[in-house]
């Protein structure tokens, strides 16, 4: 009877070991899934960083274009000032022609 009880105990222990091994496999699968999710999140972060860099570059380009536009406006103002200063020394016909000619921007 003792041998039978021992055998029964061994079988129960083996069943527990099998259950623990199954749980271990499930945990390993969960770890693999979490690692995949982590990798996907890291890839998304890299994509967001690239987009952020692109937006910063576009912002810099817009600032440079704005500066160029301001410089052109200043040059147009300077040309108008020079034109206005020269107008008294010109003949009336030339002065009128200059006043009617718009300055290109």
């Amino acid at each position: 009877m003792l041998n039978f009880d021992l055998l029964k105990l061994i079988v129960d222990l083996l069943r527990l070991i099998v259950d623990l091994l199954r749980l271990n496999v499930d945990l390993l699968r969960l770890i693999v899934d979490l690692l995949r999710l982590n990798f996907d999140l890291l890839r998304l972060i890299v994509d967001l960083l690239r987009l952020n860099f692109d937006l910063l570059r576009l912002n810099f380009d817009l600032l440079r274009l704005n500066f160029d536009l301001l410089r052109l406006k200043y040059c147009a103002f300077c040309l108008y000032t020079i034109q206005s200063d020269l107008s008294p020394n010109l003949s009336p016909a030339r002065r009128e022609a200059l006043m009617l000619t718009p300055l290109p921007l």
Side-chain angles (χ1 to χ4, degrees), residues 5-22:
D5 288 338
L6 278 175
L7 281 174
K8 186 177 177 192
L9 184 65
I10 290 174
V11 166
D12 288 342
L13 285 175
L14 286 173
R15 283 185 182 148
L16 281 175
I17 290 173
V18 167
D19 288 343
L20 286 174
L21 287 172
R22 284 184 184 146

Side-chain angles (χ1 to χ4, degrees), residues 21-34:
L21 287 172
R22 284 184 184 146
L23 284 175
N24 196 10
V25 167
D26 290 341
L27 285 175
L28 287 173
R29 284 184 183 147
L30 285 175
I31 289 172
V32 167
D33 290 342
L34 288 174

